[in-house]
Amino acid sequence: MAHTSPLARRGVLFVLSSPSGAGKSTIARMLLRADPDIALSVSATTRPIRPGEVDGVDYHFVSLDRFREMASAGDFLEWAHVFDHRYGTPRAPVHQMLGEGRDVLFDIDWQGAQQLFQQAGGDVVRVFILPPSVEELGRRLRSRGTDEASVVAARMARAASEISHWDGYDYVLVNDDVERCFTQVRMILEAERLKRSRQTGLIGFARKLMA
């Protein structure tokens, strides 16, 4: 389902958000494997690196002082303070990917999505993923095995607040089956790529046909 239109188009800034544990990162990884025309915006964070993560691939791991310097310099498209750590989207790589005609995927929370929309408006497509139930969300968080019980409890306590922002998104999906949810995400992305407003080559193409 990769983009194959002969028309030039503007890139899509494609946002996936969800409460922690609802599946946005899993679906983001599936999308990156399946679609060569979209690339991940790698966030900077002050949180410690987890086992199996790679600096520069999963996140850019930086000190709090360095993060503050980048924020002060305007180096972030958006940034937020989440669970005692800071997360931000570096501006330069996003602009580079858009310049190369690629779509950019964002695995960010509602605060980041709101800031990104304020900065880039019409190029932003926001998808919010809900868990099928609170019980299933808790089960998924515990099954990760990467967080202590206190962190899981904090994420569960925060989930209701995160879910309350569902109406700030263009699309809202329930992830009760990851394959079906992934298929829906791909359908949304493909439809957004085909929007007339993004087909920058359409006017010239149509004029040639009418000549």
Side-chain angles (χ1 to χ4, degrees):
M1 206 187 283
H3 179 72
T4 57
S5 170
L7 301 176
R9 66 175 178 87
R10 288 208 320 278
V12 178
L13 302 181
F14 197 69
V15 173
L16 291 180
S17 300
S18 76
S20 185
K24 73 179 185 299
S25 296
T26 298
I27 288 171
R29 285 193 295 270
M30 293 170 73
L31 187 59
L32 290 166
R33 283 196 300 267
D35 194 323
D37 290 334
I38 194 164
L40 181 65
S41 168
V42 180
S43 296
T45 184
T46 59
R47 79 154 170 78
I49 191 168
R50 291 175 180 162
E53 288 183 330
V54 178
D55 185 29
V57 176
D58 298 286
Y59 286 96
H60 299 292
F61 295 95
V62 298
S63 67
L64 180 57
D65 286 345
R66 175 62 184 142
F67 192 98
R68 285 173 171 158
E69 287 172 9
M70 294 173 73
S72 296
D75 290 344
F76 293 127
L77 277 171
E78 60 79 27
W79 71 271
H81 198 166
V82 184
F83 294 119
D84 300 324
H85 302 298
R86 287 169 172 79
Y87 296 81
T89 298
R91 186 184 301 272
V94 172
H95 286 167
Q96 181 180 341
M97 285 186 279
L98 286 178
E100 294 168 353
R102 303 183 77 185
D103 301 311
V104 186
L105 176 64
F106 296 84
D107 176 352
I108 56 180
D109 74 351
W110 68 270
Q111 297 174 77
Q114 196 173 50
Q115 290 180 52
L116 190 65
F117 186 75
Q118 289 168 355
Q119 293 255 1
D123 289 329
V124 179
V125 176
R126 297 160 295 178
V127 180
F128 195 78
I129 298 171
L130 293 169
S133 68
V134 172
E135 292 76 19
E136 175 61 14
L137 185 67
R139 188 196 67 76
R140 290 177 187 176
L141 284 171
R142 289 189 295 273
S143 69
R144 282 179 178 178
T146 56
D147 296 317
E148 294 180 5
S150 60
V151 175
V152 171
R155 292 186 188 279
M156 288 296 294
R158 185 182 169 85
S161 170
E162 292 174 319
I163 290 168
S164 73
H165 296 281
W166 65 269
D167 59 350
Y169 286 74
D170 305 300
Y171 302 89
V172 180
L173 306 175
V174 177
N175 182 18
D176 56 351
D177 178 284
V178 70
E179 290 292 342
R180 181 166 63 235
C181 190
F182 170 59
T183 298
Q184 292 170 336
V185 166
R186 292 197 75 185
M187 289 168 64
I188 291 166
L189 175 58
E190 195 61 20
E192 289 288 342
R193 285 169 167 167
L194 294 171
K195 271 194 172 175
R196 190 185 71 190
S197 59
R198 290 201 173 90
Q199 304 289 326
T200 55
L202 190 55
I203 294 174
F205 185 73
R207 282 177 177 163
K208 285 181 184 176
L209 293 176
M210 293 184 294

